[in-house]
Amino acid sequence: MEAQMGMNVRINRGGPESLDGRMIGVQKGYLVLRNSTGTVYVNSSHVRSVTDLPTNSSRGMSQAQFIKADSFNGVLHALTRKFVQINWGGPERIEGFIAQVGNQALMLVVGQELVQIPLYHIKTVKTAGIYASGGSKGSQGSRGTGGSGGNKSGGNANNNNSGGAKGNRNASAKGGRSSKSRSGK
């Protein structure tokens, strides 16, 4: 696979776990791809195929930055206390903060839940949200601006993305106004 360094490839031929990107790293136990969503770490034990894709760009690449670890589990350890997306697609895809990585399982904080995921079921991992490389592409909202409207990433459980305190969970902490009516004048 090292011969495919710098080339555009597809990991796994089809389905929700199929992934396209530029191969920027071949490490012991994992592959590293860069695509429009950022840097994706792929557990080698879940790679069924690697297909070269046609490209108009040259194979040469500048020195790409990515986590270098002794194994895929080492990558997970390096991402502790980061917001990540685990597994590329399908029903196994989940996003949250890695709280702890043990010998057999990973603890992921998803909202107010603590989810335990066996390490052998993790196929891919990438940083997500505002902590992803290149920034977040859809949540430029009201970070530190006092709760102004339009913060898509702050929607509530009913998918209310209208901004303000109702649509921005952090509005009260950031100085935003409450959606409750004011009494008395």
Side-chain angles (χ1 to χ4, degrees), residues 43-104:
N43 188 339
S44 294
S45 65
H46 291 283
V47 173
R48 295 183 304 275
S49 66
V50 178
T51 306
D52 294 342
L53 298 177
T55 179
N56 294 331
S57 62
S58 65
R59 286 185 59 180
M61 286 193 63
S62 61
Q63 187 68 4
Q65 298 294 318
F66 59 90
I67 297 169
K68 293 181 177 136
D70 293 335
S71 65
F72 185 73
N73 290 354
V75 171
L76 297 175
H77 280 282
L79 291 171
T80 300
R81 292 190 292 264
K82 302 267 193 269
F83 190 76
V84 299
Q85 174 186 314
I86 292 178
N87 295 333
W88 187 250
E92 298 300 317
R93 178 179 172 212
I94 188 168
E95 289 186 3
F97 285 94
I98 296 178
Q100 181 181 11
V101 179
N103 292 331
Q104 301 293 317

Side-chain angles (χ1 to χ4, degrees), residues 2-185:
E2 288 182 11
Q4 293 168 308
M5 285 287 294
M7 295 178 64
N8 284 332
V9 298
R10 173 172 293 139
I11 303 292
N12 301 331
R13 299 277 308 156
E17 291 297 327
S18 177
L19 168 65
D20 293 354
R22 184 174 297 264
M23 179 95 64
I24 62 169
V26 177
Q27 301 292 313
K28 183 180 176 187
Y30 66 100
L31 305 175
V32 186
L33 292 178
R34 170 117 349 115
N35 63 19
S36 62
T37 66
T39 303
V40 183
Y41 300 89
V42 182
N43 188 339
S44 294
S45 65
H46 291 283
V47 173
R48 295 183 304 275
S49 66
V50 178
T51 306
D52 294 342
L53 298 177
T55 179
N56 294 331
S57 62
S58 65
R59 286 185 59 180
M61 286 193 63
S62 61
Q63 187 68 4
Q65 298 294 318
F66 59 90
I67 297 169
K68 293 181 177 136
D70 293 335
S71 65
F72 185 73
N73 290 354
V75 171
L76 297 175
H77 280 282
L79 291 171
T80 300
R81 292 190 292 264
K82 302 267 193 269
F83 190 76
V84 299
Q85 174 186 314
I86 292 178
N87 295 333
W88 187 250
E92 298 300 317
R93 178 179 172 212
I94 188 168
E95 289 186 3
F97 285 94
I98 296 178
Q100 181 181 11
V101 179
N103 292 331
Q104 301 293 317
L106 173 145
M107 299 301 277
L108 192 70
V109 178
V110 181
Q112 295 183 2
E113 298 177 337
L114 188 59
V115 179
Q116 181 174 320
I117 303 170
L119 295 179
Y120 60 86
H121 282 298
I122 299 175
K123 298 171 187 159
T124 63
V125 65
K126 74 177 196 82
T127 56
I130 61 174
Y131 302 104
S133 60
S136 176
K137 301 227 183 323
S139 55
Q140 296 297 325
S142 62
R143 193 174 173 105
T145 62
S148 63
N151 187 351
K152 184 171 176 64
S153 65
N156 63 15
N158 295 324
N159 291 324
N160 181 340
N161 295 324
S162 61
K166 189 171 184 179
N168 183 350
R169 292 182 197 138
N170 295 325
S172 61
K174 304 278 188 192
R177 291 186 210 168
S178 171
S179 62
K180 297 178 183 175
S181 62
R182 294 183 188 172
S183 61
K185 263 200 181 180

